[in-house]
Amino acid sequence: MLLVALDQLRDGVVLGEDVRDTNGRLLLTKGQQIDANQIRLLKIWGVPEVPIQEQDQGIAKDKGDKEEADRLKIERTVQTIFQHIDTAHPAIQPIFKAAVEHRCQKGLFVDLGPRQRLPEDFKLDLYNGMKTQIQFSEVHLPESPEIIIEFNKIVDDPMSSANDIAAVVSRSPSLAALLLKIANSAAYGFVSKIDTLSRAVALLGTREVGVLAMVISSVQFFRDLPKDLIDMATFLRHSVACGLLSRILGAQARVPHTERLFLAGLLHDIGRLVWYRYFPEQAKLVLNMAKTTGLSVFELETECMGINHTQIAGYLLKKWKFPESLENAIVYHHCPSRSHEPAEPSIVHVADIAVNALGLGHSGGHIIPHFDPRGWYQLGIAPGALKTAIDQTVQQVDIMTELFTGL
Ligand SMILES: [Fe+2]
Ligand SMILES: [Fe+2]
């Protein structure tokens, strides 16, 4: 018979003796197999250790060994994801820790396999194809739906009113219905039912409703992408998580109009969707090459195609007449220090790194390209606050992703 501390105790072991509290009251009897619930109760009763049958020592140890082995595997996964980044950086440390914890809880391993070198001809073939086509407008980027342009004006105009929103939304009954569905969801937590658009605007605010309308219109625009290339549910989860975390970080940094950061985070990889829709063959080659070389998809896009998804997003958002502030946050989300206004792109940049590290969906690849820390310092977000923001995002991401699924 062995005494095992509660922290070391695994469910399924059999008690070698009766367990009593400090007053001698019988809590559990000898021979009883204990489960996680009983371990929790033992902790509440203040029992520090319990006697277990000797043959169970092996079970406990094996389970402990397996957990340790799984944790090491997860740590290696996160190290691989961060291979191009200094993990000792104060902004990256809390993300690394949160990523290991979250992936351990969910069992999220990434098996990236053995590495190969990038073949020379691979680069040239793609480069000559795609950059030329996009730059010389041989590719017709999606035309903006009228409604997105109108919402852009409203979201960008500080004088816009509830009536302006209602006038635009009421022209599309399906958009109005979706807006009310979102406003009534648990994600917003209103007790009474919101049954009219004017009430939704009154409760959520003009900008929030405008942003939601833009999200609905933009996400609907990118339905029906090739399933063998990208799983839209995974892509959407990545986008929603980045939107949520950007909004929370924005509030921590006291950036005005955090709803704009939500939209920027949600649409930050929209350039990839253009790429998947109009260049599916090239995209497939690059995604496969990222898996075998250990290079990031962003690096491969830039190197091999001469154009990356942030530049594609730049062309698209100009065409869709997005406000410059949104364009700035999206176009510079991989290199915020190149922006004249680095605060918002820095927030989306760090949010993107964090949600990739935690495995809250992805937009094509797992390896994080690099960390551009310059804009981050100006935000004044403490590492502890970053950890809190990540925890809040994890709590909200499922409910919000479900909301946007099937739009
Ligand atoms: Fe990106
Ligand atoms: Fe991303």
PDB file of all heavy atoms in Angstrom, residues 238 268-269 333 352 356 363, ligand 2:
ATOM      1  N   HIS A 238     -10.367  30.934 -36.882  1.00  0.00           N
ATOM      2  CA  HIS A 238      -9.142  31.743 -36.801  1.00  0.00           C
ATOM      3  C   HIS A 238      -9.502  33.237 -36.883  1.00  0.00           C
ATOM      4  O   HIS A 238      -9.007  34.054 -36.101  1.00  0.00           O
ATOM      5  CB  HIS A 238      -8.200  31.348 -37.945  1.00  0.00           C
ATOM      6  CG  HIS A 238      -6.995  32.224 -38.086  1.00  0.00           C
ATOM      7  ND1 HIS A 238      -5.944  32.198 -37.193  1.00  0.00           N
ATOM      8  CD2 HIS A 238      -6.677  33.171 -39.002  1.00  0.00           C
ATOM      9  CE1 HIS A 238      -5.033  33.081 -37.563  1.00  0.00           C
ATOM     10  NE2 HIS A 238      -5.459  33.692 -38.656  1.00  0.00           N
ATOM     11  N   HIS A 268      -8.712  40.025 -41.343  1.00  0.00           N
ATOM     12  CA  HIS A 268      -7.288  40.276 -41.574  1.00  0.00           C
ATOM     13  C   HIS A 268      -6.689  39.373 -42.656  1.00  0.00           C
ATOM     14  O   HIS A 268      -5.793  39.772 -43.373  1.00  0.00           O
ATOM     15  CB  HIS A 268      -6.477  40.160 -40.270  1.00  0.00           C
ATOM     16  CG  HIS A 268      -6.261  38.759 -39.799  1.00  0.00           C
ATOM     17  ND1 HIS A 268      -7.253  38.011 -39.211  1.00  0.00           N
ATOM     18  CD2 HIS A 268      -5.165  37.950 -39.827  1.00  0.00           C
ATOM     19  CE1 HIS A 268      -6.776  36.818 -38.894  1.00  0.00           C
ATOM     20  NE2 HIS A 268      -5.509  36.747 -39.261  1.00  0.00           N
ATOM     21  N   ASP A 269      -7.199  38.140 -42.805  1.00  0.00           N
ATOM     22  CA  ASP A 269      -6.635  37.238 -43.815  1.00  0.00           C
ATOM     23  C   ASP A 269      -7.532  37.112 -45.040  1.00  0.00           C
ATOM     24  O   ASP A 269      -7.460  36.112 -45.772  1.00  0.00           O
ATOM     25  CB  ASP A 269      -6.399  35.844 -43.198  1.00  0.00           C
ATOM     26  CG  ASP A 269      -5.088  35.778 -42.423  1.00  0.00           C
ATOM     27  OD1 ASP A 269      -4.170  36.574 -42.745  1.00  0.00           O
ATOM     28  OD2 ASP A 269      -4.973  34.956 -41.505  1.00  0.00           O
ATOM     29  N   HIS A 333      -0.832  43.860 -41.016  1.00  0.00           N
ATOM     30  CA  HIS A 333      -0.928  42.974 -39.845  1.00  0.00           C
ATOM     31  C   HIS A 333       0.260  42.026 -39.708  1.00  0.00           C
ATOM     32  O   HIS A 333       0.423  41.401 -38.676  1.00  0.00           O
ATOM     33  CB  HIS A 333      -2.268  42.215 -39.796  1.00  0.00           C
ATOM     34  CG  HIS A 333      -2.386  41.018 -40.689  1.00  0.00           C
ATOM     35  ND1 HIS A 333      -2.961  41.074 -41.935  1.00  0.00           N
ATOM     36  CD2 HIS A 333      -2.024  39.725 -40.518  1.00  0.00           C
ATOM     37  CE1 HIS A 333      -2.950  39.871 -42.476  1.00  0.00           C
ATOM     38  NE2 HIS A 333      -2.379  39.026 -41.647  1.00  0.00           N
ATOM     39  N   ASP A 352      -3.103  37.784 -33.992  1.00  0.00           N
ATOM     40  CA  ASP A 352      -2.939  36.725 -35.003  1.00  0.00           C
ATOM     41  C   ASP A 352      -1.912  35.686 -34.527  1.00  0.00           C
ATOM     42  O   ASP A 352      -2.139  34.474 -34.620  1.00  0.00           O
ATOM     43  CB  ASP A 352      -2.479  37.385 -36.314  1.00  0.00           C
ATOM     44  CG  ASP A 352      -2.394  36.409 -37.470  1.00  0.00           C
ATOM     45  OD1 ASP A 352      -3.194  35.453 -37.504  1.00  0.00           O
ATOM     46  OD2 ASP A 352      -1.517  36.603 -38.341  1.00  0.00           O
ATOM     47  N   ASN A 356      -2.948  31.779 -33.583  1.00  0.00           N
ATOM     48  CA  ASN A 356      -2.232  30.703 -34.301  1.00  0.00           C
ATOM     49  C   ASN A 356      -1.535  29.784 -33.306  1.00  0.00           C
ATOM     50  O   ASN A 356      -1.566  28.564 -33.449  1.00  0.00           O
ATOM     51  CB  ASN A 356      -1.180  31.301 -35.239  1.00  0.00           C
ATOM     52  CG  ASN A 356      -1.727  31.541 -36.630  1.00  0.00           C
ATOM     53  OD1 ASN A 356      -2.425  30.706 -37.191  1.00  0.00           O
ATOM     54  ND2 ASN A 356      -1.417  32.692 -37.190  1.00  0.00           N
ATOM     55  N   SER A 363      -5.533  29.858 -40.964  1.00  0.00           N
ATOM     56  CA  SER A 363      -5.955  30.345 -42.285  1.00  0.00           C
ATOM     57  C   SER A 363      -5.158  29.690 -43.403  1.00  0.00           C
ATOM     58  O   SER A 363      -5.154  30.164 -44.523  1.00  0.00           O
ATOM     59  CB  SER A 363      -5.813  31.869 -42.346  1.00  0.00           C
ATOM     60  OG  SER A 363      -4.440  32.225 -42.240  1.00  0.00           O
TER      61      SER A 363
HETATM   62 FE    FE B   2      -4.065  35.092 -39.630  1.00  0.00          FE
END
